Amino acid sequence: MDSHYEVEFTVRGDDFLAAGEASNQIKETLIMLGVPSAISRRASVITYEAEMNLVIHSGGGTLRAVITPEKLTIQATDRGPGIPDLHLAMREGFSTAPDRVREMGFGAGMGLPNIKRNSDNLEIESEVGKGTTLTATILFHEGPGDRR
Amino acid sequence: MTVLSLIESLKLDVHNGGDGNRSVSRGVVGDLLSFVMGGAPEGAAWVTLQTHVNLAAVAVLKEIPLVILASGRTPDPELLDRCKKENIALATAAGSPFEICGALHDLGLKG
Ligand SMILES: Nc1ncnc2c1ncn2[C@@H]1O[C@H](COP(=O)(O)OP(=O)(O)O)[C@@H](O)[C@H]1O
Ligand SMILES: [Mg+2]
């Protein structure tokens, strides 16, 4: 594997027809790079939920994956409305998704918890009125202190 | 069991045959996409009442070989197109999600 590999995709807000496309491309990239399937499966949960949050909550943004020999970093960046209460947003079941989106089966308030469960490290920086940057990391080699 | 034998056993109305040889040993049921995203086992058949195109992205990412639309639901045209493109089997069952899951369980599928 190359020592550093990076892909970036623009995700359009409210575009439910294209939703998932960036995650799909990242998955294919990981497979192409020979990343183990147990890791690409975790990555898919993270990218999909992050991508859907860009589609549903932020008016769009960018989804990026950086692969090094040590780790996979997934970053979603937007200049949307931001998250006023991060602690609340992380709670399973909390969602501000509008009804029309909920009817499609989104807005279960499970996205951020799903991301958390599948990451070795998760950081969310958000400022109301400025935007949100979510950075999730999966380590390729597990040390003694790791959960998995 | 294979996608094809499952389709035949349940007498499903097939919209797209997908890869009939792919193996199915597990199942998942749900209409909340994040629930399926977070919890679907590898290679599961997915029983749902949703019919829109976004099912396909979840199926691709979770490596779900077969999506079963319950209670006689018809797929949106965009969903059918996407399933054809991604080679995901898509079929409708007359029975309710409960009935289909019962039948899948009888066939030996686990959750
Ligand atoms: N990129 C984002 N920009 C603004 N708000 C967000 C963003 N991502 C998440 N949120 C907020 O956090 C809540 C919880 O997110 P999540 O757990 O993914 O659930 P859901 O997307 O189903 O609502 C959202 O309902 C929304 O209020
Ligand atoms: Mg979400």
Side-chain angles (χ1 to χ4, degrees):
Chain A
M1 193 192 296
D2 279 348
S3 61
H4 181 107
Y5 200 95
E6 195 173 323
V7 282
E8 185 176 296
F9 301 94
T10 300
V11 177
R12 283 189 303 275
D14 276 309
D15 186 347
F16 286 90
L17 210 55
E21 197 47 48
S23 300
N24 205 350
Q25 302 262 3
I26 291 172
K27 184 187 168 90
E28 279 174 15
T29 302
L30 295 179
I31 291 169
M32 187 261 293
L33 290 172
V35 169
S37 61
I39 285 181
S40 74
R41 270 200 286 276
R42 284 166 62 197
S44 285
V45 177
I46 297 170
T47 57
Y48 181 76
E49 296 291 5
E51 181 173 1
M52 289 319 304
N53 282 352
L54 294 176
V55 173
I56 296 168
H57 303 294
S58 82
T62 60
L63 189 66
R64 208 158 69 94
V66 182
I67 304 110
T68 69
E70 291 79 35
K71 64 186 181 188
L72 162 65
T73 308
I74 294 156
Q75 193 164 62
T77 311
D78 68 67
R79 290 159 189 253
I83 304 174
D85 185 341
L86 259 178
H87 186 72
L88 189 60
M90 288 302 302
R91 191 184 294 169
E92 184 130 2
F94 176 83
S95 176
T96 58
D99 283 348
R100 65 182 167 82
V101 171
R102 284 177 200 253
E103 281 158 19
M104 297 168 76
F106 298 109
M110 296 172 74
L112 294 176
N114 272 352
I115 292 173
K116 176 96 184 150
R117 261 193 297 277
N118 285 280
S119 310
D120 288 313
N121 187 57
L122 173 63
E123 279 168 34
I124 302 174
E125 281 171 44
S126 192
E127 201 178 326
V128 173
K130 291 247 165 80
T132 301
T133 298
L134 175 149
T135 310
T137 315
I138 299 179
L139 303 174
F140 290 147
H141 307 288
E142 292 146 40
D146 282 324
R147 285 178 290 128
R148 267 169 275 262
Chain B
M1 104 182 289
T2 65
V3 166
L4 188 60
S5 54
L6 200 154
I7 284 172
E8 284 171 352
S9 301
L10 264 61
K11 300 192 171 60
L12 301 179
D13 176 12
V14 180
H15 308 291
N16 184 51
D19 182 352
N21 292 322
R22 266 174 85 182
S23 140
V24 186
S25 57
R26 315 276 300 263
V28 64
V29 55
D31 306 324
L32 297 175
L33 303 195
S34 284
F35 172 80
V36 175
M37 203 61 219
E42 204 182 323
W46 177 13
V47 179
T48 184
L49 291 171
Q50 298 286 358
T51 56
H52 58 79
V53 66
N54 297 90
L55 301 184
V58 174
V60 169
L61 291 167
K62 294 302 280 188
E63 291 155 34
I64 286 171
L66 168 65
V67 179
I68 302 173
L69 309 181
S71 303
R73 301 224 167 186
T74 308
D76 293 357
E78 296 84 6
L79 174 62
L80 179 54
D81 285 351
R82 200 66 64 87
C83 285
K84 283 181 178 161
K85 188 171 153 254
E86 303 287 358
N87 208 25
I88 300 159
L90 179 67
T92 291
S96 70
F98 177 82
E99 288 166 330
I100 298 155
C101 290
L104 292 175
H105 201 266
D106 287 347
L107 287 170
L109 267 65
K110 303 281 176 229

